[in-house]
Amino acid sequence: QVQLVESGGGLVQAGGSLRLSCEGSGRTFSTYVLGWFRQAPGKEREFVAAISRSGITTYPENSVKGRFTISRDNAKNIWYLQMNGLKSEDTAVYYCAAVEAPYVTSIYTSVHDYQYWGQGTQVTVSS
């Protein structure tokens, strides 16, 4: 049974940093694209970051790029989201996700592309 468990959320002041972790179990995730999404109250779940099997990363252009960094540790089945320069608009529940990928360069940004999801972790940024 596949399980993804996020950790590292919390309350932080604007300008601060947090690192989220997602630990996967039930699979070897080295052949998966790994992602992070977030959902604020009353809004749809939105793409935050993704990393391919080969380490290619992608971020949405106008929100988190330059502030957030996704990384992965295949040996531990863990991936991370380092968030710097946090803003109040980053407040949301953050979800990690995974999907098995056919190619080392495959990368996905849509909610609908992902197979497995964590339960979410709350990030609150106070201004």
Side-chain angles (χ1 to χ4, degrees):
Q1 181 179 354
V2 175
Q3 195 170 16
L4 308 182
V5 179
E6 301 99 338
S7 60
L11 174 64
V12 64
Q13 288 190 333
S17 299
L18 281 175
R19 188 177 80 158
L20 305 183
S21 300
C22 181
E23 183 170 5
S25 61
R27 292 285 191 277
T28 300
F29 286 90
S30 59
T31 59
Y32 284 66
V33 169
L34 309 173
W36 287 95
F37 292 77
R38 67 185 181 187
Q39 189 165 18
K43 295 189 176 181
E44 292 186 353
R45 193 168 296 189
E46 66 174 359
F47 170 68
V48 173
I51 186 166
S52 72
R53 290 169 51 185
S54 61
I56 297 169
T57 59
T58 189
Y59 308 89
E61 279 294 326
N62 296 323
S63 55
V64 308
K65 193 171 186 179
R67 299 188 296 123
F68 291 10
T69 303
I70 187 171
S71 60
R72 63 191 296 163
D73 185 335
N74 289 335
K76 296 180 179 178
N77 261 3
I78 296 177
W79 56 108
Y80 304 96
L81 185 68
Q82 178 67 44
M83 304 186 294
N84 299 327
L86 283 161
K87 306 175 181 180
S88 57
E89 53 262 44
D90 295 318
T91 294
V93 178
Y94 282 71
Y95 299 89
C96 63
V99 57
E100 192 161 21
Y103 307 108
V104 295
T105 55
S106 298
I107 200 161
Y108 308 108
T109 61
S110 170
V111 167
H112 305 291
D113 290 327
Y114 285 80
Q115 292 172 286
Y116 303 110
W117 292 86
Q119 81 288 350
T121 186
Q122 177 70 47
V123 171
T124 303
V125 184
S126 64
S127 56

